Amino acid sequence: MSTLDKLLIRGIRSFGSQTGDEQQISFVSPLTLIVGVNGSGKTTIIECLKYALTGEVPPGSDRGAGFVHDPKIYQFSECLGQVKLNVKDIKGTTHIVTRSMKAMLKTTKTSKSTFETIDVNIYCPGVGPSKGSMSKRVADMNAEMCDIMGVSKAILNNVIFCHQEDSSWPLDEQKKVKEKFDAIFGTTEYNRVIDKVVGIISESPFACSICIFRCEIQ
């Protein structure tokens, strides 16, 4: 089973972006309780976990602009943020994903901020062939994190790290609920594979018979 180990937050919502403002949370097994008064950052921790694993910013954050610490607080033109998460995959190998971002203040009358992801990096500090590093320039980081955790993005978004604003999706209209469940259980992909297998059998039944015969021998 994959597990969460440590989370470092800097420059996200109420967590400051200056040197020394970093906050580190260590997760213990089998259960970690996050307790705090309103506005202390409990929800932000969950949002950072989801962002680190899926790359998706929370709903209602103005496409990420409200997710990073507000640069207007320090009267800066931009504010940097970073989320670093240590996880262990099902084999016990440690992986460290780091997502860096920034909020830039537009020079307009509204003074709205814009969000930009600077870099995403996954580092495996193991030894031998398991040691290595990759960035978003060479791989799909979101897909890589799903592979490391051993779950689909749909499960991460709709089950494990479902935001409180979206937690009532099982009560949504029937069509949307079906789409969610299809994504969670991989029904669409399963049906696509079945259709492809049926197509192969219909086009070349002899080749399919050989494959079945070989499987039976093994």
Side-chain angles (χ1 to χ4, degrees), residues 13 27 72 114 125 144 159 178 195 198:
R13 293 203 188 273
F27 302 97
K72 289 183 289 185
T114 59
E144 291 291 335
V159 181
K178 182 181 182 302
D195 291 340
V198 171

Side-chain angles (χ1 to χ4, degrees), residues 46-119:
I46 305 302
E47 291 173 343
C48 287
L49 287 173
K50 180 179 178 180
Y51 177 71
L53 295 174
T54 67
E56 292 193 4
V57 295
S61 63
D62 193 15
R63 291 178 291 184
F67 186 49
V68 183
H69 201 66
D70 192 349
K72 289 183 289 185
I73 294 179
Y74 295 109
Q75 297 182 345
F76 291 160
S77 59
E78 65 179 31
C79 191
L80 301 178
Q82 187 178 80
V83 175
K84 181 183 291 186
L85 177 64
N86 292 27
V87 301
K88 290 184 179 179
D89 61 20
I90 57 176
K91 296 181 180 179
T93 304
T94 298
H95 301 266
I96 304 173
V97 55
T98 304
R99 295 184 186 264
S100 303
M101 69 224 75
K102 66 179 178 180
M104 297 174 291
L105 196 62
K106 286 185 176 180
T107 56
T108 61
K109 294 181 180 180
T110 57
S111 297
K112 290 187 64 176
S113 299
T114 59
F115 175 85
E116 178 185 348
T117 298
I118 302 174
D119 192 25

